[in-house]
Amino acid sequence: MQAHNKTKVTREVETVVIGAGITGLVTSFLLKEKGTDFLLLEKAARVGGQLHTVSDEGYLFESGPNTGVISNMEVLDLFHKLGNDCTLLTAHKESKVRLIWKKGKFHPLPCGMKQAISTPLFTWADKLNIFFEPFRKRGNDPSESIASLTRRRLGQSYLDYAIDPFISGIYAGNPERLVTRFALPKLYRLDNQYGSFIRGAIKRGPILAEEKRQGISKEIFSVKGGFQQLVNALQQRIGDAQIRLSAERLTVAPYNDGWLTTVPTIGEQIYSKRIISTLPAYALPELLAFLPEEELRPINSMPYAPVIQVGVGMRNGAPVPQAFGGLIPSKEKENMLGILFNSSCYDDRAPQGSASLSFFIGGMKRPEQMQLTDDNLHSLVDDALHRMLHYAPSTRTDKFHVFRHQRAIPQYEADSELRLQTIDRLQTQYKGLILAGGIRDGIGLADRIKQATELAGK
């Protein structure tokens, strides 16, 4: 530890929050509410991280996450606190329908017994075997993959035409590699605690009913005007005086029973009692340069799925399918992960009589697609519009926005346990250091808001 040399310090605060994505913004907003002296540092010239909305002549396109799920009270509490500054939108009832592509056609994912029996998505053997699911042995491998768990409890066709596309929609990941305990903890608990998906769902019925009574509806949500409005509301509440943008190449180091954050691009050295990092795994070696490389390797080796998102707008009365979107199983060997029907979910995503859709391409199974040119992407989208969605041959896109994310979504794979152990060890060893963000505790917006609430609460 260095001696406390006051001449080196340009500012003192209680807490430094690093990274102004959703986790850092919500944490800072709640610290502000508590009266904590803090400073939020962001290397980019804007706050919001992957949350960014593009507005183009009445169309709204999200560059990053398009939706969240009202899965905890922290989401509801945040929007209650923001009040009229940010309006929560729940998706239309049509968005409850999920379509799955199989053999040249989209089919609705079953949501009741009649559909479950008649659907062509699953084999008859697996449909019949579902009745024996409650009697199968529970798993004993805490590192079991999502694919292995699904095959064991439900059968291969459920993996191919339900879980695989579902995982593509959430993680853009590979269910053979994602560990259920970390990637889908609720599914893991149904097997591990109750010994059955069906028995667990029945026993959890009263809990879910109580959650619904409290407002935890599990509905899909966005924000009126797009998630940029959430970012703007949080930024306004935090205040520019407590945000530093373009804070590049910053480093932190232990300093006199606290921490010294050095920000060369803005010429500041900030002393604080604690550091809250919400940075992605790959950014931590530069931030924590005082640590040997091998100490951080279990964290910064975390893989991230590459994703291209293409936002498309069509005028001239173009209809949009009445569903949340269409997911495309990897077994079908198509060139995209799925299609989100934005204007079917929310009224403000397109001008009246127009259609807004988002196409997702790449993922862990097709990383080479990141090399596709914009012309290539135009061809893929046109093919999907006409062949998969049956738009008329004369239909052309009025708006076309491409968002490329080389490292979009963190993957909770087999190295997750060691990563979490390393995080715990470092936080114990270095008092006041908190490593948060998507490297732990889930990747969804609700997960990020919940984690931020817990961080601010501490």
Side-chain angles (χ1 to χ4, degrees), residues 96-102 105-112 115-116 118-122 161 322-323 325-327:
K96 294 183 183 297
V97 178
R98 267 68 168 174
L99 303 178
I100 305 294
W101 182 260
K102 184 176 183 180
K105 186 180 178 181
F106 276 118
H107 305 270
L109 190 66
C111 59
Q115 282 189 344
S118 62
T119 181
L121 293 174
F122 313 126
Y161 289 100
Q322 296 301 293
L327 294 169

Side-chain angles (χ1 to χ4, degrees), residues 48-64:
Q50 291 193 11
L51 289 182
H52 181 57
T53 308
V54 173
S55 178
D56 185 353
E57 295 185 335
Y59 292 97
L60 293 179
F61 301 109
E62 300 288 7
S63 166

Side-chain angles (χ1 to χ4, degrees), residues 52 57 172 198 206 262 317 354 388 399 444 448:
H52 181 57
E57 295 185 335
I198 295 174
T262 302
S354 302
M388 305 177 89
K399 301 295 180 183
R448 304 288 85 244

Side-chain angles (χ1 to χ4, degrees), residues 214-371:
Q214 295 174 0
I216 305 173
S217 61
K218 308 298 171 70
E219 287 184 286
I220 302 295
F221 79 88
S222 181
V223 170
K224 185 178 181 180
F227 281 121
Q228 188 64 48
Q229 299 306 312
L230 173 59
V231 170
N232 294 345
L234 290 168
Q235 182 176 11
Q236 183 179 16
R237 293 293 189 95
I238 294 166
D240 291 342
Q242 289 177 280
I243 300 174
R244 292 288 184 275
L245 300 177
S246 301
E248 299 180 70
R249 302 195 310 276
L250 62 84
T251 59
V252 301
Y255 186 84
N256 196 53
D257 297 326
W259 293 87
L260 187 68
T261 301
T262 302
V263 194
T265 53
I266 59 176
E268 286 206 72
Q269 295 200 92
I270 306 149
Y271 176 75
S272 63
K273 282 295 184 182
R274 69 182 62 84
I275 295 287
I276 300 176
S277 167
T278 67
L279 298 187
Y282 52 82
L284 290 177
E286 181 179 5
L287 177 70
L288 306 176
F290 71 93
L291 287 173
E293 181 184 345
E294 59 271 15
E295 277 205 76
L296 278 175
R297 192 172 295 120
I299 302 176
N300 64 42
S301 60
M302 184 181 199
Y304 282 71
V307 175
I308 298 174
Q309 183 176 172
V310 181
V312 168
M314 296 178 293
R315 297 194 189 276
N316 302 321
V320 66
Q322 296 301 293
F324 178 75
L327 294 169
I328 302 167
S330 54
K331 186 179 179 68
E332 291 295 309
K333 307 297 183 186
E334 294 285 354
N335 286 315
M336 59 182 60
L337 299 168
I339 310 167
L340 180 64
F341 309 144
N342 302 315
S343 48
S344 179
C345 299
Y346 309 104
D347 290 334
D348 66 346
R349 304 295 123 138
Q352 190 170 5
S354 302
S356 169
L357 303 93
S358 290
F359 297 78
F360 298 87
I361 295 153
M364 293 298 286
K365 291 186 177 182
R366 298 292 303 275
E368 75 281 359
Q369 289 187 313
M370 295 301 292
Q371 306 306 315

Side-chain angles (χ1 to χ4, degrees), residues 2 23 60 66 71 89 103 128-130 134 143 152 178 202 213 251 254 258 268 319 328 372 393 395 399 418-419:
Q2 301 175 33
T23 311
L60 293 179
N66 282 265
S71 58
L89 289 182
K103 295 182 178 178
L128 293 173
N129 281 335
I130 199 73
S143 297
R152 180 168 57 80
L178 290 167
I202 293 171
R213 188 189 66 79
T251 59
E268 286 206 72
I328 302 167
L372 293 173
T395 302
K399 301 295 180 183
L418 180 58
R419 180 178 69 256

Side-chain angles (χ1 to χ4, degrees), residues 432-445:
L433 176 65
I434 300 171
L435 301 178
I439 59 175
R440 61 179 174 91
D441 301 334
I443 65 165
L445 283 174

